Every structure is written in structure tokens, then in C-alpha cells.
Amino acid sequence: MIVVQKQTHFSHAAYAASAAGLLVLLFLPLVVVVRQEYRILKELEETLRDREPPTMVEPTTIDDENAEDPPASSSSSCLGSCLKKMFTPPARGEDYTILQALVSIDMLLLFLATICGAGATLTAIDNMGQIGQSLGYPSNTINTFVSLISIWNYAGRVASGFASEVLLSRYRFPRPLMVTMVLLLSCVGHLLIAFGVPQSLYVASMLTGFCFGALWPLVYAIISEIFGLKYYSTLYNFGTAASPIGAYLLNVLVAGHLYDVQAAKQHGGTLAGGDKTCIGVDCFNKSFIIITGATMVGVLVSLVLVWRTRSFYKGDIYARFRNNADANEDRLIHTSSNDSVIIPKAEEESTGDDDTCQQGPKRRGGAHVHAA
């Protein structure tokens, strides 16, 4: 739509119609959310329609006089057990601890592939203004490139999340392989920028925005599927850290440095005058060839991750969630079918985190639940 507006004259009514259409497309995903929430609410009402909630009686806590505190572990044994636990992770799909996930080979492979992919596309996005200027595009067209990147960034996020979920649920198509495909597609945009193909920056900006947006839903989904949801918020932020690292390596150290070198050549070998403008294909040729090579490294790394997780994605990765839901439903039915049920109070767990080895004294108690 932006390209059409630049090429033809739009009246006020045409602008209003195009804006209305874009707003409809923008809020269309809300229809899916509302529909799904209504479906969940309807199923819940049907499940609990003929059931009355049990009346809970305050539990009475009885201290166990015979309970003794376990002997305090020494710091060396605590450290040894923590290190042993850190390097003995559970099966893929189970809840990893933070340290288990950070030292996992799968996480390192995913992190390295994200550095290469996100750093490369982010370099193209940050330098799109200078790229357009060096290739001789007018300023209003450069603004169009920025708009195209933003729009296709959103399209990539929606498309990759939906497509990967459909392919995974129907055909067991592994999500890491989707990352590989996104990185390969981004290489096309990098090469178009590197060789300065005439009028190709439109396509390059769309591919760059799409691939940058498509990469992140895949990365976050892989983290949740392989390493579990218990510490997902922390691991989510760890995955996000790949973006600034990749941007610094490829944007500052590669693209920025080579651009300044080429600009200095065009201004008599120095930039002392303050003019750092570079004109021509050579301004970003070498840098984006290097960036394309770095992206191909990310492709190879992601293929290693595909090979390591192939058996995991061939199975039913959502089976444990369905089993937990069925167990909770059976427990609810069993509770509602009895007049009186004794629910034992769970033992008090240790207040420490994964790095703490000591436990407090245990308590025991119970509570009677009578049907209303």
C-alpha cells in the first residue's frame, strides 16, 4: 500500500479507505483471542454446571514433636550437589533450572544462531537510511523503506508463529528447522544490499523486516518447549540478549567500521572535516558479504540444533500438558463424587532456591472437605 501511494495520487477518500482496511487487519487477531476465550469459558461452564463447589474447612496444623531438623550439610557437599545437578539436566521438555538451561548445549546453539540471525537483520534495519542514501534513493523513498520494515516485521511475527504451530502439530515439522529457513531467507536480502541491485531495496527491506520479526517467536517457542515453563521468564530475557550482542558485533565492528573506511577513501583518506557520507555500492558491499557469511554460520548452527532435537520434535511435545489436565479433571470428579474427602496438606517445602541445600522442619496436618 505504501508503494502504491508513492506511485499514484491518492484522494482523501482513498486514504481513509486504506487506513480503515489497515485497522481492520491490525485488530483482526483480536477476533481469534475473543473466540478462544469464549470457547474456554463455555467448556468450563459445561464442566461445572452440575457440580457444586466443596466447602473448605480451615486446616489444622499439628506440629510433629518427634520431627527433627536434618543435619546441616557442609558447604562443600552443597556446592558439589548443585554442580552435579547443574550438569545433569532432565529430559527435553521438562522444567530445567536456570543454570541447567544456561550450560545446555541446546541453549548455546540456539543463542549462537540467534546472534547471527538477529544481529545481521538488525544491522540492515539500523543502517537502512545510510544504505538508501549511498545507493542514491531520494529521502521520501528511504522513509518508505523504514515503513516497510515495520509492517513486515509485524507480518513476520504473526506468520512464523501461526505457520510453525500448524506445521508442528500436523506434520511434526521441527521448529528449529523453521529458524534455519528464516535465516536462509534473510541472506537474500543481505545479498541484494551487498551488490546494490537497482530498485531492489524495496524487496530487501521487506525481507529484512519479515525475517527479523519471524525469528523471535520461533526462538521463544523453542525455549519454552525444550527447557520448560518454570523459569521461562528468565530464559526469555537471556534469549533477548542475543540481539544487542549480534548488533554490536556486526553493526558496530563490521558495518560501521567498513563504512567509515570507505567514506574516508572518498574524502581524501581522512574524516577530519566531519563529513562521513559515503556514496556508492562499495559503502556496504564488503560488510554485507561478511554479514551474509555470518548468517550462513547461523544456518549451520541451527542445523546442528535440528539434528540434536529431531527425536524430541518427532514425538508429541504437548502430551505432558494433556496428561496433567486429564489428571486434574479426574481429581475434580473424584472429589465431587464423595460426601467427605480428606485432602492431606502438602509438606512444607524448603524456602530456598535451587542453590540451597538445607530444608526446614516438616509439618503435617489435614483438613476435612464436606460437600455443600
Side-chain angles (χ1 to χ4, degrees):
M1 183 61 68
I2 294 176
V3 176
V4 174
Q5 290 177 357
K6 296 295 181 181
Q7 300 296 329
T8 60
H9 176 70
F10 263 51
S11 62
H12 180 73
Y15 276 111
S18 61
L22 290 176
L23 288 176
V24 170
L25 293 177
L26 182 63
F27 290 102
L28 192 60
L30 290 177
V31 178
V32 180
V33 176
V34 173
R35 181 180 177 184
Q36 185 67 19
E37 290 294 332
Y38 176 76
R39 178 183 175 184
I40 294 174
L41 180 61
K42 187 176 180 180
E43 292 178 354
L44 182 61
E45 290 177 350
E46 291 177 355
T47 303
L48 302 178
R49 181 176 299 169
D50 299 329
R51 300 174 186 170
E52 295 183 358
T55 302
M56 301 296 297
V57 180
E58 290 294 334
T60 58
T61 303
I62 303 175
D63 293 335
D64 191 355
E65 298 179 354
N66 296 326
E68 297 180 357
D69 293 340
S73 302
S74 62
S75 59
S76 59
S77 61
C78 178
L79 179 61
S81 62
C82 291
L83 290 176
K84 182 179 179 181
K85 183 179 180 181
M86 182 174 65
F87 291 102
T88 55
R92 292 186 180 94
E94 301 296 330
D95 290 327
Y96 281 55
T97 65
I98 296 175
L99 293 179
Q100 285 174 343
L102 294 183
V103 300
S104 171
I105 297 178
D106 294 338
M107 176 62 81
L108 296 179
L109 292 173
L110 181 62
F111 190 71
L112 182 57
T114 308
I115 287 177
C116 297
T121 52
L122 195 58
T123 299
I125 293 172
D126 290 344
N127 294 279
M128 188 56 66
Q130 289 179 312
I131 293 171
Q133 185 182 26
S134 65
L135 296 178
Y137 289 89
S139 58
N140 59 340
T141 305
I142 294 175
N143 295 332
T144 302
F145 297 150
V146 177
S147 300
L148 288 175
I149 289 174
S150 300
I151 294 171
W152 283 90
N153 181 10
Y154 171 78
R157 292 175 185 270
V158 175
S160 68
F162 178 77
S164 64
E165 192 65 32
V166 171
L167 293 175
L168 178 63
S169 59
R170 293 185 180 180
Y171 307 106
R172 298 290 190 268
F173 193 86
R175 224 181 290 264
L177 190 56
M178 288 287 294
V179 174
T180 305
M181 296 172 61
V182 169
L183 296 182
L184 284 174
L185 183 61
S186 67
C187 290
V188 178
H190 300 330
L191 291 176
L192 290 176
I193 296 174
F195 295 105
V197 180
Q199 302 300 319
S200 64
L201 208 54
Y202 290 98
V203 179
S205 60
M206 289 188 292
L207 290 177
T208 300
F210 181 86
C211 293
F212 182 76
L215 180 63
W216 293 111
L218 298 174
V219 171
Y220 299 146
I222 292 171
I223 290 176
S224 66
E225 290 166 353
I226 295 180
F227 305 107
L229 298 174
K230 186 174 183 180
Y231 299 102
Y232 174 70
S233 59
T234 302
L235 299 179
Y236 174 98
N237 292 322
F238 178 75
T240 307
S243 181
I245 294 175
Y248 176 76
L249 294 176
L250 298 178
N251 190 8
V252 178
L253 299 183
V254 176
H257 173 70
L258 294 178
Y259 181 88
D260 291 340
V261 170
Q262 189 64 32
K265 290 181 180 179
Q266 295 182 2
H267 294 83
T270 180
L271 296 177
D275 187 4
K276 296 184 178 181
T277 303
C278 180
I279 303 298
V281 179
D282 294 334
C283 299
F284 289 97
N285 177 264
K286 292 182 180 179
S287 59
F288 271 88
I289 290 177
I290 295 174
I291 287 171
T292 304
T295 307
M296 290 303 301
V297 172
V299 169
L300 297 178
V301 172
S302 65
L303 287 176
V304 176
L305 182 62
V306 172
W307 180 79
R308 286 178 55 86
T309 59
R310 65 191 186 282
S311 59
F312 172 71
Y313 280 100
K314 284 182 180 179
D316 188 0
I317 64 175
Y318 300 124
R320 66 190 185 100
F321 298 105
R322 285 194 295 269
N323 293 336
N324 292 336
D326 294 340
N328 292 332
E329 185 176 357
D330 293 340
R331 189 182 300 111
L332 180 62
I333 295 174
H334 177 72
T335 302
S336 61
S337 63
N338 291 280
D339 294 333
S340 178
V341 180
I342 297 178
I343 302 177
K345 183 178 179 181
E347 292 183 350
E348 182 177 348
E349 297 180 352
S350 173
T351 57
D353 54 11
D354 294 329
D355 297 331
T356 305
C357 298
Q358 297 182 358
Q359 295 182 349
K362 298 181 179 179
R363 297 177 180 271
R364 62 184 182 182
H368 288 275
V369 180
H370 299 281

